[in-house]
Amino acid sequence: SSGINGRVREFQTYQHYFKRINLRDMYASLGRCLVCVGLLIVLHAGFSSAQHRTYLRLSELPYEGLPVDITAQCVIGFLMACYGITRVAGDFKDISATSDMNRRKMDSLSNVPSFYHFAHRGRAIHSALY
């Protein structure tokens, strides 16, 4: 009984040591990497454009725009960063307010705790009168 059954029992015994791969965490870490790489590419394109302008000034050539490779670097880096941000942000919420309002009761619709303000002059009037 030390064949397959023994291996299965051994795996079940040490199963808590094996980490489960969570796809959401994997996509988030992939998204973070894409954001970092995209921002580095955009930063490199910025330095390349500054270097190109310096080269044009030193060689006294007219400025006719950025070269295609620098423009492509900028666009690719921007798109990579945008895609990575959508991976990190998680699930999008519904834009319509009706989905949130369906869950709230009528009594709580006008109750907004962020508008509560307790430091007002009513306290001074109350203490002067009583």
Side-chain angles (χ1 to χ4, degrees):
S1 153
S2 65
I4 292 284
N5 290 336
R7 290 184 186 149
V8 168
R9 265 187 264 117
E10 183 179 331
F11 176 75
Q12 289 172 348
T13 305
Y14 296 108
Q15 188 175 7
H16 62 278
Y17 290 116
F18 297 106
K19 186 177 180 182
R20 255 188 166 164
I21 296 174
N22 189 354
L23 289 177
R24 183 171 293 200
D25 292 340
M26 187 174 72
Y27 281 134
S29 63
L30 174 70
R32 286 185 191 97
C33 290
L34 283 174
V35 169
C36 290
V37 169
L39 291 177
L40 286 175
I41 289 173
V42 169
L43 186 67
H44 182 267
F47 281 125
S48 296
S49 66
Q51 186 178 14
H52 178 71
R53 289 288 298 218
T54 304
Y55 167 74
L56 289 178
R57 283 189 198 132
L58 291 175
S59 61
E60 297 177 353
L61 294 173
Y63 179 73
E64 297 175 358
L66 288 175
V68 176
D69 61 336
I70 295 176
T71 306
Q73 275 183 16
C74 192
V75 169
I76 290 170
F78 175 73
L79 293 176
M80 282 178 68
C82 285
Y83 182 74
I85 287 172
T86 60
R87 294 287 108 207
V88 172
D91 297 333
F92 292 114
K93 291 189 176 182
D94 200 12
I95 291 177
S96 66
T98 57
S99 62
D100 288 335
M101 293 299 176
N102 288 339
R103 289 178 286 206
R104 297 178 73 182
K105 295 180 181 174
M106 286 301 287
D107 296 336
S108 66
L109 287 178
S110 62
N111 186 15
V112 183
S114 62
F115 287 118
Y116 291 169
H117 187 65
F118 296 107
H120 51 78
R121 62 181 159 221
R123 186 183 310 169
I125 294 171
H126 179 70
S127 63
L129 291 176
Y130 299 105

